[in-house]
Amino acid sequence: MESKRAVVYLSVCLSVLTSLCQGQRSGNSHLLSAPDEPTLGLTTSELAEALQGLLDEADSSAGLSVEKKASVIPRCDVGERCAMKHGPRIGRLCDCLRGTACNTFFLRCY
């Protein structure tokens, strides 16, 4: 009696597993078989062209902000002008190299 019950249980489990595996395999083959099928009304080549256009626009508009950042101060060599006086205030033009400092009287790195 127990052997019949075990055989029935095993056959039910195998049939359920087989049907699940068939469903997964048919779903994957459907996705892989049609790479140029339209997605949201656009083909892969149209999506690639649209993305390339967006990247080109971003490069052209961001060119100036990449060249000069407000937080980055260039380095000065020894003897170069490192500051400028604006009335009572002194504005820094560049940062002196290690071991030197900007002299506030001469406004040069020494």
Side-chain angles (χ1 to χ4, degrees):
M1 185 73 159
E2 283 189 33
S3 64
K4 289 181 182 180
R5 190 179 295 167
V7 169
V8 170
Y9 181 71
L10 184 61
S11 64
V12 169
C13 288
L14 286 176
S15 64
V16 169
L17 284 174
T18 305
S19 65
L20 287 175
C21 291
Q22 286 289 343
Q24 287 180 352
R25 189 173 70 194
S26 65
N28 289 341
S29 65
H30 173 67
L31 291 175
L32 297 176
S33 65
D36 286 336
E37 187 175 306
T39 305
L40 299 175
L42 299 171
T43 62
T44 306
S45 59
E46 291 173 341
L47 289 172
E49 289 173 7
L51 180 61
Q52 185 63 35
L54 285 173
L55 290 175
D56 290 340
E57 289 177 17
D59 286 342
S60 64
S61 66
L64 296 176
S65 65
V66 172
E67 291 173 4
K68 185 176 182 181
K69 293 183 180 178
S71 63
V72 176
I73 300 174
R75 297 283 186 176
C76 296
D77 288 329
V78 175
E80 284 187 39
R81 188 172 188 150
C82 60
M84 181 179 277
K85 253 191 157 179
H86 296 285
R89 290 186 266 158
I90 296 175
R92 287 177 34 171
L93 298 174
C94 55
D95 197 17
C96 297
L97 293 174
R98 182 174 287 186
T100 61
C102 189
N103 187 318
T104 56
F105 183 75
F106 295 113
L107 305 175
R108 297 190 183 276
C109 291
Y110 288 107

